[in-house]
Amino acid sequence: MRPELETTAERVFVALADPSRRSVLAALAAHGPATATDLADRLPITRQAIAKHLALLTEAGLVIPEPGERRRVRYRLDSAPMQMAQQFLAALARDWDGPLDALRRHLDG
């Protein structure tokens, strides 16, 4: 397995482990790009907490900050890291399929 795939998957899994970060991602997916203030208006999370979650989501590559008017930063989703995490899980599942099939055949035999 490619090391960069595993590293990206790890960052995505850490980011998705927190329910508040999943809520931020869901809000961005439902409503499109938004500022931390916009998200605070939609979610039961303080603006300061959202800013911290957005920083971690940015590090994971799941959101991209885009400078806007009056120094406001809008965040938009980037699906590439999520797709890499899915590739990691698919490769992991393929690695398990052979040994699990062999175990099933052994137990059935």
Side-chain angles (χ1 to χ4, degrees), residues 19-58:
S20 294
R21 287 192 288 273
R22 292 193 303 270
S23 295
V24 169
L25 290 173
L28 290 172
H31 303 285
T35 65
T37 302
D38 295 335
L39 292 165
D41 290 343
R42 292 185 190 128
L43 301 169
I45 307 169
T46 66
R47 191 209 165 286
Q48 292 80 6
I50 286 176
K52 289 180 182 180
H53 290 307
L54 286 168
L56 195 141
L57 291 168
T58 299

Coordinates of all heavy atoms in Angstrom, one line a residue, residues 19-58:
P19 N -17.8 14.1 16.1 CA -19.1 14.4 15.6 C -19.3 15.9 15.2 O -20.1 16.2 14.2 CB -20.1 14.0 16.7 CG -19.2 13.8 17.9 CD -17.8 13.6 17.5
S20 N -18.7 16.8 15.8 CA -18.8 18.2 15.5 C -18.2 18.5 14.1 O -18.7 19.2 13.3 CB -18.1 19.1 16.5 OG -18.8 19.0 17.7
R21 N -17.0 17.9 13.8 CA -16.4 18.0 12.5 C -17.3 17.4 11.4 O -17.4 17.9 10.3 CB -15.0 17.5 12.5 CG -14.0 18.4 13.3 CD -12.6 18.0 13.1 NE -12.2 16.8 13.7 CZ -11.7 16.7 15.0 NH1 -11.7 17.7 15.7 NH2 -11.4 15.5 15.5
R22 N -17.9 16.3 11.8 CA -18.8 15.7 10.8 C -20.0 16.6 10.5 O -20.4 16.7 9.4 CB -19.3 14.3 11.3 CG -18.1 13.3 11.3 CD -18.7 11.8 11.4 NE -19.5 11.6 12.6 CZ -19.0 11.2 13.8 NH1 -17.7 11.0 14.0 NH2 -19.8 11.1 14.8
S23 N -20.5 17.3 11.5 CA -21.6 18.2 11.4 C -21.1 19.4 10.5 O -21.9 19.9 9.6 CB -22.0 18.8 12.7 OG -22.6 17.8 13.5
V24 N -19.9 19.9 10.7 CA -19.4 21.0 9.8 C -19.3 20.5 8.4 O -19.8 21.2 7.5 CB -18.0 21.4 10.3 CG1 -17.3 22.4 9.3 CG2 -18.1 22.1 11.7
L25 N -18.8 19.3 8.2 CA -18.7 18.8 6.8 C -20.1 18.6 6.2 O -20.3 19.0 5.0 CB -17.9 17.5 6.8 CG -16.4 17.6 7.0 CD1 -15.9 16.2 7.1 CD2 -15.7 18.4 6.0
A26 N -21.0 18.1 7.0 CA -22.4 17.9 6.5 C -23.0 19.3 6.1 O -23.7 19.4 5.1 CB -23.2 17.2 7.5
A27 N -22.8 20.3 6.9 CA -23.3 21.6 6.6 C -22.7 22.2 5.3 O -23.5 22.8 4.5 CB -23.1 22.6 7.8
L28 N -21.4 22.0 5.1 CA -20.8 22.5 3.9 C -21.3 21.7 2.7 O -21.5 22.3 1.6 CB -19.3 22.3 4.0 CG -18.6 23.3 5.0 CD1 -17.1 23.0 5.1 CD2 -18.8 24.7 4.5
A29 N -21.6 20.4 2.9 CA -22.1 19.6 1.8 C -23.5 20.0 1.4 O -23.9 20.1 0.3 CB -22.1 18.1 2.2
A30 N -24.3 20.4 2.4 CA -25.7 20.7 2.2 C -25.9 22.1 1.6 O -26.8 22.4 0.8 CB -26.5 20.6 3.5
H31 N -25.0 23.1 2.1 CA -25.3 24.5 1.8 C -24.2 25.1 1.0 O -24.3 26.3 0.6 CB -25.4 25.3 3.1 CG -26.5 24.8 4.0 ND1 -27.9 25.0 3.7 CD2 -26.5 24.0 5.1 CE1 -28.6 24.4 4.6 NE2 -27.8 23.8 5.5
G32 N -23.1 24.4 0.7 CA -22.0 24.9 -0.1 C -21.0 25.7 0.8 O -21.1 25.7 2.0
P33 N -20.1 26.4 0.1 CA -19.0 27.1 0.8 C -19.6 28.1 1.9 O -20.7 28.7 1.6 CB -18.3 27.8 -0.3 CG -18.5 27.0 -1.5 CD -19.9 26.5 -1.3
A34 N -18.9 28.2 3.0 CA -19.4 29.1 4.1 C -18.2 29.5 4.9 O -17.2 28.9 5.0 CB -20.4 28.3 5.0
T35 N -18.5 30.6 5.6 CA -17.5 31.1 6.6 C -17.7 30.4 8.0 O -18.8 29.8 8.2 CB -17.6 32.7 6.8 OG1 -18.9 32.9 7.4 CG2 -17.5 33.4 5.5
A36 N -16.8 30.6 8.9 CA -17.0 30.1 10.2 C -18.2 30.7 10.9 O -19.0 30.0 11.6 CB -15.8 30.3 11.1
T37 N -18.5 32.0 10.6 CA -19.6 32.6 11.2 C -20.9 32.1 10.6 O -21.9 31.8 11.3 CB -19.6 34.2 10.9 OG1 -18.4 34.7 11.5 CG2 -20.8 34.9 11.4
D38 N -20.9 31.8 9.3 CA -22.1 31.2 8.6 C -22.4 29.8 9.3 O -23.6 29.5 9.6 CB -21.9 30.9 7.1 CG -21.7 32.2 6.3 OD1 -22.2 33.3 6.8 OD2 -21.1 32.1 5.3
L39 N -21.4 29.1 9.5 CA -21.5 27.7 10.1 C -22.0 27.8 11.5 O -22.8 27.0 12.0 CB -20.2 26.9 10.0 CG -19.8 26.6 8.6 CD1 -18.4 26.1 8.5 CD2 -20.7 25.5 8.0
A40 N -21.5 28.8 12.3 CA -21.9 29.0 13.7 C -23.4 29.4 13.7 O -24.1 29.0 14.7 CB -21.1 30.1 14.3
D41 N -23.9 30.0 12.7 CA -25.3 30.4 12.7 C -26.2 29.1 12.4 O -27.4 29.1 12.8 CB -25.6 31.4 11.6 CG -25.1 32.8 11.9 OD1 -24.8 33.0 13.1 OD2 -24.9 33.6 11.0
R42 N -25.6 28.1 11.7 CA -26.4 26.9 11.4 C -26.3 25.8 12.4 O -27.1 24.9 12.4 CB -25.9 26.4 10.0 CG -26.2 27.3 8.8 CD -25.8 26.6 7.5 NE -25.9 27.6 6.5 CZ -24.9 27.9 5.6 NH1 -23.8 27.3 5.7 NH2 -25.1 28.8 4.7
L43 N -25.2 25.8 13.1 CA -24.9 24.7 14.0 C -24.9 25.1 15.5 O -24.6 26.2 15.8 CB -23.5 24.1 13.6 CG -23.4 23.6 12.2 CD1 -21.9 23.3 11.9 CD2 -24.2 22.3 12.0
P44 N -25.1 24.1 16.3 CA -25.1 24.4 17.8 C -23.6 24.3 18.3 O -23.3 23.7 19.3 CB -26.0 23.3 18.4 CG -25.8 22.2 17.5 CD -25.6 22.8 16.1
I45 N -22.7 25.1 17.6 CA -21.3 25.1 18.0 C -20.9 26.5 17.9 O -21.3 27.3 17.1 CB -20.5 24.2 17.0 CG1 -21.1 22.8 16.8 CG2 -19.0 24.1 17.4 CD1 -20.5 22.0 15.6
T46 N -20.0 26.9 18.9 CA -19.5 28.3 18.9 C -18.6 28.6 17.7 O -18.0 27.6 17.1 CB -18.7 28.6 20.2 OG1 -17.5 27.8 20.1 CG2 -19.5 28.3 21.4
R47 N -18.6 29.8 17.3 CA -17.7 30.2 16.2 C -16.3 29.8 16.4 O -15.5 29.4 15.5 CB -17.9 31.7 15.9 CG -17.2 32.1 14.6 CD -16.7 33.5 14.6 NE -15.8 33.8 13.6 CZ -14.5 33.4 13.5 NH1 -14.0 32.6 14.4 NH2 -13.8 33.7 12.5
Q48 N -15.8 30.0 17.7 CA -14.4 29.7 18.0 C -14.2 28.2 17.9 O -13.1 27.8 17.4 CB -14.1 30.1 19.5 CG -14.1 31.6 19.6 CD -15.5 32.2 19.8 OE1 -16.5 31.6 19.9 NE2 -15.5 33.6 19.8
A49 N -15.1 27.4 18.3 CA -14.9 25.9 18.2 C -15.0 25.5 16.7 O -14.2 24.7 16.2 CB -16.0 25.2 18.9
I50 N -15.8 26.2 15.9 CA -15.9 25.9 14.5 C -14.6 26.2 13.8 O -14.1 25.5 13.0 CB -17.1 26.6 13.8 CG1 -18.4 25.9 14.2 CG2 -16.9 26.6 12.3 CD1 -19.6 26.5 13.7
A51 N -14.0 27.4 14.2 CA -12.7 27.8 13.6 C -11.6 26.7 13.9 O -10.8 26.4 13.0 CB -12.3 29.1 14.2
K52 N -11.6 26.2 15.1 CA -10.7 25.1 15.4 C -10.9 23.8 14.6 O -10.0 23.2 14.1 CB -10.7 24.8 16.9 CG -10.1 25.9 17.8 CD -10.2 25.5 19.3 CE -9.7 26.6 20.1 NZ -9.7 26.3 21.5
H53 N -12.2 23.5 14.5 CA -12.5 22.3 13.7 C -12.2 22.5 12.2 O -11.6 21.6 11.5 CB -14.0 22.0 13.8 CG -14.4 21.4 15.1 ND1 -13.8 20.4 15.7 CD2 -15.4 21.8 16.0 CE1 -14.4 20.1 16.9 NE2 -15.3 21.0 17.1
L54 N -12.4 23.7 11.7 CA -12.0 24.0 10.3 C -10.5 24.0 10.1 O -10.1 23.5 9.0 CB -12.6 25.4 9.9 CG -14.1 25.5 9.7 CD1 -14.5 27.0 9.6 CD2 -14.5 24.7 8.4
A55 N -9.8 24.4 11.1 CA -8.3 24.3 11.0 C -7.9 22.8 10.8 O -7.0 22.5 10.0 CB -7.6 24.9 12.2
L56 N -8.4 21.9 11.6 CA -8.1 20.5 11.5 C -8.6 19.9 10.2 O -7.9 19.1 9.6 CB -8.7 19.7 12.7 CG -8.1 18.3 12.9 CD1 -7.9 18.0 14.3 CD2 -8.9 17.3 12.2
L57 N -9.8 20.3 9.8 CA -10.3 19.8 8.5 C -9.5 20.3 7.4 O -9.3 19.6 6.4 CB -11.8 20.2 8.4 CG -12.8 19.6 9.3 CD1 -14.1 20.3 9.3 CD2 -12.9 18.1 9.0
T58 N -8.9 21.5 7.5 CA -8.0 22.0 6.5 C -6.7 21.2 6.4 O -6.2 20.8 5.4 CB -7.7 23.5 6.7 OG1 -8.9 24.3 6.7 CG2 -6.7 24.1 5.7

